[in-house]
Amino acid sequence: MVVHELLQSMALRSARDSQIFIIGCGISGIGAAQKLLKHGFHNVHIIEATARSGGRIRTGRLGDNIIEIGANWIHGPSKENPVFRLACDYQLLDKESMSEENQAIDVGGHPLFVPNWFTSSGRKLGLETMGPVVEFFMKLLERSQQFHDSGGEPLPSVGEFVKAEAERLAPEEWKEGQANTAVKLAMINTLLKLECCVSGTHTMDDVALGAFGMYKTLPGLDCTFPGGYEGLIDHMIKELPKDIVLYNKPVKCIHWNYTKSGPSGTSFPVTIECVNGETFAADHVIVTVPLGYLKKHQSTFLSPPLPLHKMHSIQRMGFGTNNKIFLEFEQPFWDEDCELIYFVWEDETHLADVVPDVKMSWIRKLVSFTVLKPTERYGHVLCGWIAGRESEYMETLSEHEVLHSVTQLLRRFTGNPTITPRKLLRSQWFHEPYSCGSYTYVAKGCSGYDIDNLAEPLPLKGSNSKSLQVLFAGEATHRSFFSTVHGALLSGWREAERLASHYTPASGSFSSKL
């Protein structure tokens, strides 16, 4: 019995002494660090390329207003959502967002905002024209999600399916005059472009139809942080030891299956090489960098390189750009109850969610604006949404050029030549060197197995090398909640638990993995 207890304490000590490094100080990396510390690991560090924590959670300011340059909402704020639970624990939300009523509302990932619709001839469309089109489009999207469970998808992509079904069903659905049908088809284009923003893709033709339903929504009406999303990161960071995060240290290469002796004669299988020449020896590394960064650096980020099946999955998976353009106004031009503004190009009657000439027509991809509410908190501020290569091109323009194009757009669609935004701020996620875009989608030709492949630790099962040298977390590694903050957090927890289980006693005796 005494021998068993001695072995137990030795094994626990070796677990606690393991050198664990986490690459990336977004919510996934912070969550992994918190969980590891709770399990008794004490040699835990986060290596962050930039000078700040939060990753794609980034709160900014437009004048006196708090705005979200990165993650915007808690999607599905209910008890099942760990981000919502943390936000409640830290008291970061308003009473309405935390109410039982708000948690019970299930909108299936598409909240029904009160809209204003404007057309390119300066007309404002009424509910009688717009309502049936939105309903029709939402039914097509719902049908797109069903092939994941049933199989037998008739076309490879969501875009192809929605467009084919819209063209097939429209004549029966909209029997009235030709002119009205043309406007309704143009409205379908607007909704398709908005869906590109939701999915973070250039075109819905790139999103796999068979895998579209893999994404799971949680109940609860999406809500925001009154003091900014970064407040959540600040509270989480405060719970970590003071010097756990090493900032401004971009990682050049992770050398695994690479034995390096430490100062006390111990050997480590992983060496992290930073761009500045610094190295860190580790037993385990959790990689939480965005999929966009992995896509760009997959051949050099690990040595030896990633196994082929992991590389192929990274190549197949989608990672797109969805940017925001914030505008502040002296006075609103929208209705008081309006929550979302749509723009409909009346000449776009051929169904397509991309523009033929990105440089000349990028502004056509800017299809909608969210009205930041409540007005008492934000003043008169709109958040415009633009996705895809048009969005990436917008990033290359000067702020003055973007402001000019957006002002002309607003004046044309409202018919009001005096509209003048007084301030503009935009995100530029594609040119962020450590993100290279916004978030993940399941691309055409891709499936849940690709997400599983990405999440698979190295070395692979069956290897004689030391287990779990390199682990993978981040929103792209979560099968049901990819593209979300809660998916990122859960994936960080998952990898921390994987390491904890690796060192945990099994059936009364310690695991042979030790």
Side-chain angles (χ1 to χ4, degrees), residues 30-242:
I30 298 166
Q34 281 186 327
K35 191 72 81 175
L36 287 166
L37 291 163
K38 279 180 186 160
H39 278 294
F41 295 92
H42 56 88
N43 288 331
V44 177
H45 286 92
I46 302 174
I47 299 179
E48 168 56 38
T50 71
R52 57 175 288 277
S53 302
R56 285 168 279 167
I57 292 173
R58 186 187 301 173
T59 302
R61 284 195 173 271
L62 181 65
D64 297 329
N65 303 304
I66 289 170
I67 53 164
E68 302 295 2
I69 295 162
N72 209 82
W73 289 281
I74 300 180
H75 291 295
S78 54
K79 295 288 191 295
E80 298 160 69
N81 188 324
V83 173
F84 176 70
R85 294 199 304 269
L86 282 177
C88 291
D89 292 346
Y90 297 135
Q91 299 184 315
L92 298 174
L93 302 175
D94 56 34
K95 281 183 181 171
E96 189 187 347
S97 299
M98 293 190 288
S99 68
E100 293 293 333
E101 295 78 29
N102 200 77
Q103 293 178 52
I105 298 168
D106 196 346
V107 293
H110 283 81
L112 293 170
F113 295 112
V114 176
N116 281 179
W117 291 76
F118 295 97
T119 73
S120 49
S121 61
R123 288 190 299 144
K124 193 172 171 190
L125 296 174
L127 191 65
E128 67 288 345
T129 307
M130 169 212 82
V133 182
V134 175
E135 203 177 315
F136 175 63
F137 182 80
M138 293 312 293
K139 279 181 184 164
L140 293 181
L141 266 194
E142 279 168 30
R143 283 178 55 206
S144 303
Q145 291 165 331
Q146 289 162 7
F147 295 105
H148 176 58
D149 293 327
S150 64
E153 60 270 24
L155 289 160
S157 75
V158 176
E160 290 163 279
F161 176 74
V162 168
K163 286 183 286 190
E165 287 298 276
E167 281 167 1
R168 183 175 73 84
L169 298 170
E172 184 59 34
E173 195 79 19
W174 308 320
K175 286 176 181 169
E176 69 268 31
Q178 191 63 41
N180 230 348
T181 300
V183 169
K184 288 178 175 180
L185 284 170
M187 286 166 68
I188 294 283
N189 268 341
T190 296
L191 293 166
L192 267 173
K193 289 178 194 172
L194 185 56
E195 199 57 36
C196 290
C197 296
V198 175
S199 286
T201 183
H202 173 56
T203 166
M204 294 306 290
D205 289 2
D206 288 344
V207 179
L209 182 59
F212 192 50
M214 206 162 68
Y215 176 85
K216 301 293 179 214
T217 60
L218 296 172
L221 190 61
D222 292 1
C223 67
T224 57
F225 288 80
Y229 224 132
E230 262 187 41
L232 176 64
I233 297 297
D234 294 342
H235 277 78
M236 292 176 77
I237 285 282
K238 277 177 194 160
E239 293 184 355
L240 296 174
K242 199 170 185 315

Side-chain angles (χ1 to χ4, degrees), residues 1 10 26 32 81 114 119 142 154 166 187 206 240 266 296 363 369 402 420 457 495 502:
M1 189 67 183
M10 284 168 63
N81 188 324
V114 176
T119 73
E142 279 168 30
M187 286 166 68
D206 288 344
L240 296 174
T266 50
K296 195 169 180 180
I363 195 72
F369 284 90
V402 175
T420 308
E495 296 312 305
H502 176 67

Side-chain angles (χ1 to χ4, degrees), residues 272-279:
I272 301 156
E273 179 191 356
C274 293
V275 170
N276 67 2
E278 256 184 294
T279 59

